[in-house]
């Protein structure tokens, strides 16, 4: 059996566009001699469709487009396996399934409904779907096939120390004498996820002595980035076919000789994270209907990285940097920003905020009374910069990309309605230390466009004389491991202090800052997820609460 792995980039809700994509890849697979072509989970609707699933019109049109796929593919050779939703007549609970549909010669032959519905991190599937009570193998091109939808194949008891579910759909299907496992997926990326997947499915292949076809979605949908990296394994768990990471792809796999195409994907995880940010940025801009972007260029490492990512995402001709020097801006902040813009070949404009800042202070000082200057005056500068960016955005139709990193967002070292404002927070899930590493990746792709001085100068918001980040927060080499342990690993203050060998008082101060600034993060621009736990849809803490570590 020749199987085509169709790694496609669906847009949520674009039923017509997704249908055209599925048919196009089915035709390409047919021309390549495939017997079967496999598409990702919910390839027809896009993943995650979220509350679109509450609309009956959306469900009706989805089924209409599925029938169109069946009719328009009737003359094609391959059996089509693709993800969609199925309305069910169950009396209680949700009335739709998350399904893998099998189409042969113009007819919808079989629907395998998802059994395990994840509700952790970014997933919320029990909100929408009904879980299947049972699953059945199906014969496809003469092979008895175990067909699963994403989470159904992620519960192997030989891999996980503690499983999330009592049932193992793969084990149940394998017990019926299946010969091959086909798994369709919409598995979001985070650093290390690609290797984790292969380890999970290698364990499954070896346990059941069964070849595996794993097809994953690619592309960015809001805060999630899907890397693709689809593969086929033989029964020993060796990868014999693989698709690219972070790009649409079509890969052939032949079960007769356990041979297939091997398309190169990024080995270095830092380069993969960079590519994830590029893809997530590109798709967010494109799928939201924008073409051009604006970035406030401060001459710092964060805005420099965002500018490089933007160039890779939408092209230098669609990126404009805005320098906005204030009363405490250093000379090098402007020269470094200008050098970056020239090196990247992007537009660069300068809009000083000093005079406007002075006018605001003149009007506000009588109301401030005799109170000494503090963070109020600092935040005012940040907010004036965003007023400038948003005015230019309104006038030009360009999307503002924010430049704050995860370390700042975690502890509230950012200005609400200031530097946090924009359409997309590109690096909001990138800790500061990783920002520097990704910037080195950017420089390998852009001929050292980020000036070396940007790497070596002390980080500073430049909102008061001689300001440095370390005036207010610990060095990032100290801060970031504490934040990772608390936010991503849910460790207690005592565990963090002991494992990192840092004072418990420092740990408590940092994590209390994290907790107290939840109100800021829930008003931030959506950000792209690249770590195991991002601030956004996968982290749901109350704002008004009084629990402190």
């Amino acid at each position: 059996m020749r199987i085509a792995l169709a790694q496609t980039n669906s847009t949520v809700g674009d039923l017509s566009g997704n249908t055209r994509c599925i048919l196009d890849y089915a035709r390409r697979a047919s021309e390549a001699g495939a017997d079967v072509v496999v598409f990702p989970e919910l390839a027809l609707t896009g993943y995650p469709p979220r509350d679109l699933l509450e609309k009956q019109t959306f469900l009706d049109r989805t089924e209409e487009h599925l029938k169109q796929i069946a009719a328009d593919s009737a003359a094609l050779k391959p059996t089509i396996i693709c993800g969609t939703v199925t309305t069910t007549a169950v009396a209680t609970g949700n009335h739709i399934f998350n399904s893998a549909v099998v189409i042969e010669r113009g007819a919808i032959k079989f629907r395998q409904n998802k059994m395990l519905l994840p509700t952790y991190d970014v997933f919320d599937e029990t909100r929408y779907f009904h879980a299947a009570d049972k699953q059945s193998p199906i014969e496809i091109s003469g092979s008895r096939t175990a067909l699963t939808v994403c989470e159904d194949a992620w519960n192997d008891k030989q891999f996980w120390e503690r499983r999330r579910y009592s049932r193992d759909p793969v084990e149940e299907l394998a017990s019926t004498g299946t010969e091959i496992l086909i798994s369709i997926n919409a598995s979001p990326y985070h650093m290390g996820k690609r290797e984790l997947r292969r380890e999970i499915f290698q364990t499954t292949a070896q346990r059941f002595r069964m070849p595996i076809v794993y097809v994953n979605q690619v592309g960015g949908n809001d805060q999630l980035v899907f890397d693709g990296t689809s593969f086929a394994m033989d029964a020993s768990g060796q990868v014999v076919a693989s698709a690219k990471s972070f790009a649409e792809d079509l890969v052939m796999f032949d079960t007769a000789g356990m041979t297939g195409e091997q398309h190169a994907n990024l080995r270095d995880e830092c380069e993969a994270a960079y590519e994830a940010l590029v893809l997530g940025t590109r798709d967010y801009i494109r799928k939201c209907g924008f073409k051009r972007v604006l970035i406030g260029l401060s001459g710092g490492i964060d805005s420099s990285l965002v500018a490089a990512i933007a160039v890779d995402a939408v092209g230098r001709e669609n990126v404009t940097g805005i320098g906005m020097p204030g009363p405490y801006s250093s000379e090098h902040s402007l020269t470094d920003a200008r050098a970056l813009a020239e090196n990247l070949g992007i537009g660069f404009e300068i809009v000083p905020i000093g005079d406007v800042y002075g006018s605001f202070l003149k009007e506000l000082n009588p109301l401030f009374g005799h109170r000494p200057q503090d963070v109020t005056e600092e935040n005012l500068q940040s907010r004036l910069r965003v007023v400038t960016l948003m005015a230019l955005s309104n006038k030009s139709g360009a999307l503002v990309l924010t430049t704050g990193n995860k370390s700042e967002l975690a502890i509230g070292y950012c200005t609400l309605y200031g530097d946090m404002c924009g359409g997309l927070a590109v690096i909001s899930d990138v800790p500061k230390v990783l920002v520097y590493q990704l910037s080195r990746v950017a420089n390998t792709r852009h001929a050292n466009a980020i000036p070396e001085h940007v790497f070596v100068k002390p980080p500073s918001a430049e909102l008061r004389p001689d300001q440095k980040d370390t005036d207010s927060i610990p060095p990032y080499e100290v801060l970031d491991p504490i934040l990772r342990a608390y936010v991503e690993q849910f460790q207690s203050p005592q565990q963090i202090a002991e494992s990192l060998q840092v004072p418990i008082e420092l740990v408590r101060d940092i994590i209390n800052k994290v907790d107290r600034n939840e109100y800021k993060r829930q008003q931030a621009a959506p950000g792209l997820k690249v770590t195991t736990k991002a601030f956004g849809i996968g982290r749901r803490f109350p704002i008004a609460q009084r629990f402190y570590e």
Side-chain angles (χ1 to χ4, degrees):
M1 176 166 54
R2 286 175 56 81
I3 302 175
L5 286 65
Q7 181 173 285
T8 54
N9 184 346
S10 298
T11 298
V12 173
D14 185 6
L15 299 173
S16 297
N18 296 340
T19 295
R20 288 193 299 271
C21 179
I22 290 169
L23 288 169
D24 176 58
Y25 272 79
R27 293 185 187 101
R28 289 172 56 187
S30 183
E31 292 167 2
D35 301 303
V36 181
V37 56
V38 185
F39 292 89
E41 177 183 14
L42 295 185
L44 180 51
T45 63
Y47 187 95
R50 304 181 77 180
D51 279 10
L52 285 175
L53 296 172
E54 304 284 0
K55 294 176 176 283
Q56 188 60 46
T57 50
F58 179 75
L59 300 177
D60 293 342
R61 291 178 191 173
T62 298
E63 188 66 19
E64 291 169 7
H65 281 83
L66 181 66
K67 292 176 180 177
Q68 179 186 338
I69 291 171
D72 291 354
S73 65
L76 300 180
K77 176 186 177 184
T79 297
I80 295 174
I81 300 174
C82 77
T84 186
V85 295
T86 299
T87 302
T88 176
V90 293
T92 59
N94 296 324
H95 68 290
I96 53 175
F97 287 117
N98 182 343
S99 306
V101 175
V102 180
I103 300 171
E104 285 188 355
R105 293 175 175 80
I108 299 170
K109 176 183 177 182
F110 180 78
R111 297 181 191 240
Q112 187 82 294
N113 300 321
K114 191 172 183 177
M115 181 180 290
L116 306 182
L117 303 178
T119 58
Y120 56 89
D121 194 44
V122 300
F123 305 108
D124 203 7
E125 293 201 19
T126 57
R127 176 183 174 96
Y128 306 106
F129 298 115
H130 190 85
D133 295 322
K134 62 180 181 178
Q135 293 177 334
S136 304
I138 178 176
E139 186 170 301
I140 299 176
S141 293
S143 294
R144 191 171 177 83
T145 302
L147 179 59
T148 63
V149 182
C150 204
E151 192 82 355
D152 288 345
W154 286 65
N155 198 42
D156 192 313
K157 61 187 175 186
Q158 293 190 2
F159 184 86
W160 300 105
E161 182 177 338
R162 181 178 180 181
R163 297 189 299 163
R164 293 183 182 273
Y165 315 93
S166 60
R167 298 182 68 175
D168 183 348
V170 175
E171 183 178 53
E172 294 175 15
L173 289 166
S175 68
T176 66
T178 52
E179 301 169 81
I180 186 171
L181 168 64
I182 296 178
S183 175
I184 68 171
N185 297 261
S187 176
Y189 171 80
H190 64 67
M191 296 181 73
K193 185 74 167 288
R194 297 179 305 159
E195 183 60 29
L196 174 64
R197 289 195 207 104
R198 294 197 180 195
E199 290 175 359
I200 292 171
F201 283 89
Q202 182 180 60
T203 299
T204 301
Q206 293 171 346
R207 177 185 175 193
F208 298 109
R209 303 301 301 170
M210 182 168 57
I212 292 174
V213 173
Y214 171 94
V215 178
N216 189 30
Q217 175 176 290
V218 70
N221 284 324
D222 291 353
Q223 299 177 39
L224 303 182
V225 182
F226 300 85
D227 59 284
T229 323
S230 304
F231 56 80
M233 288 179 171
D234 63 18
S236 70
Q238 179 180 350
V239 175
V240 294
S242 60
K244 298 175 184 177
S245 294
F246 308 107
E248 288 190 309
D249 205 359
L250 185 71
V251 173
M252 299 300 299
F253 165 56
D254 193 338
T255 63
M258 288 296 149
T259 58
E261 299 173 307
Q262 298 268 9
H263 294 176
N265 48 51
L266 299 166
R267 293 182 178 274
D268 181 80
E269 203 57 49
C270 200
E271 290 187 357
Y274 183 90
E275 197 61 41
L277 294 170
V278 171
L279 176 59
T281 301
R282 178 188 300 125
D283 274 2
Y284 187 89
I285 294 166
R286 176 176 63 86
K287 293 179 180 182
C288 290
F290 292 91
K291 294 181 179 179
R292 300 180 302 279
V293 296
L294 292 171
I295 304 167
L297 291 185
S298 66
I301 194 72
D302 296 325
S303 62
S304 298
L305 174 60
V306 172
I309 290 169
V311 167
D312 286 329
V314 295
R316 65 190 61 189
E317 69 278 7
N318 293 313
V319 181
T320 300
I322 308 296
M324 295 167 285
Y328 306 112
S329 298
S330 60
E331 182 180 349
H332 62 72
S333 66
L334 200 56
T335 57
D336 287 343
R338 181 182 286 110
L340 171 78
E342 291 175 353
N343 293 341
L344 290 175
I346 65 175
F348 184 61
E349 303 292 343
I350 299 174
V351 184
I353 65 165
D355 289 347
V356 180
Y357 176 65
S359 297
F360 260 82
L361 285 182
K362 181 180 178 181
E363 298 298 325
L364 289 171
N365 275 334
L367 301 177
F368 289 165
H370 299 291
R371 299 181 183 91
Q373 287 199 357
D374 55 17
V375 71
T376 307
E377 285 77 11
E378 296 181 30
N379 288 342
L380 179 57
Q381 296 168 65
S382 179
R383 289 170 180 141
L384 287 173
R385 290 188 170 106
V386 170
V387 169
T388 302
L389 288 171
M390 291 310 301
L392 294 171
S393 172
N394 290 160
K395 191 63 69 174
S396 67
L399 183 74
V400 174
L401 302 181
T402 75
T403 60
N405 61 64
K406 186 175 188 176
S407 306
E408 297 168 346
L409 194 63
I411 59 174
Y413 192 60
C414 47
T415 303
L416 192 60
Y417 318 124
D419 57 305
M420 295 175 65
C421 291
L424 177 67
V426 176
I427 60 171
S428 65
D429 195 34
V430 180
K432 186 73 168 191
V433 172
L434 183 57
V435 168
Y436 283 94
Q437 296 169 350
L438 294 179
S439 296
R440 291 297 182 189
V441 173
N443 266 4
T444 64
R445 300 185 178 205
H446 292 284
N448 295 317
I450 302 175
E452 186 62 25
H453 184 247
V454 176
F455 287 92
V456 299
K457 64 185 178 183
S460 171
E462 295 192 333
L463 298 174
R464 63 175 184 263
D466 301 318
Q467 184 181 24
K468 294 181 178 62
D469 287 3
T470 49
D471 297 340
S472 304
I473 60 177
Y476 289 106
E477 294 78 8
V478 175
L479 176 64
D480 284 359
I482 296 173
L483 292 174
R484 183 172 186 270
Y486 184 60
V487 175
E488 298 181 38
Q489 300 170 350
F490 294 96
Q491 292 185 17
S492 69
Q494 193 65 40
Q495 288 174 315
I496 297 171
E498 291 175 359
S499 63
L500 298 178
Q501 295 186 324
V502 292
I504 186 70
E505 296 79 14
L506 173 64
V507 175
R508 285 205 172 96
D509 178 63
I510 290 171
I511 66 176
N512 283 333
K513 283 186 171 74
V514 174
D515 294 342
R516 289 197 301 270
N517 283 284
E518 186 64 30
Y519 77 100
K520 282 189 178 183
R521 290 188 292 271
Q522 293 198 27
Q523 299 180 72
L528 302 174
K529 182 181 188 297
V530 294
T531 71
T532 56
K533 182 65 68 174
F535 297 119
I537 60 172
R539 189 177 186 274
R540 309 176 191 184
F541 280 86
I543 296 173
Q545 59 95 9
R546 293 184 180 178
F547 179 80
Y548 296 103
E549 295 279 5

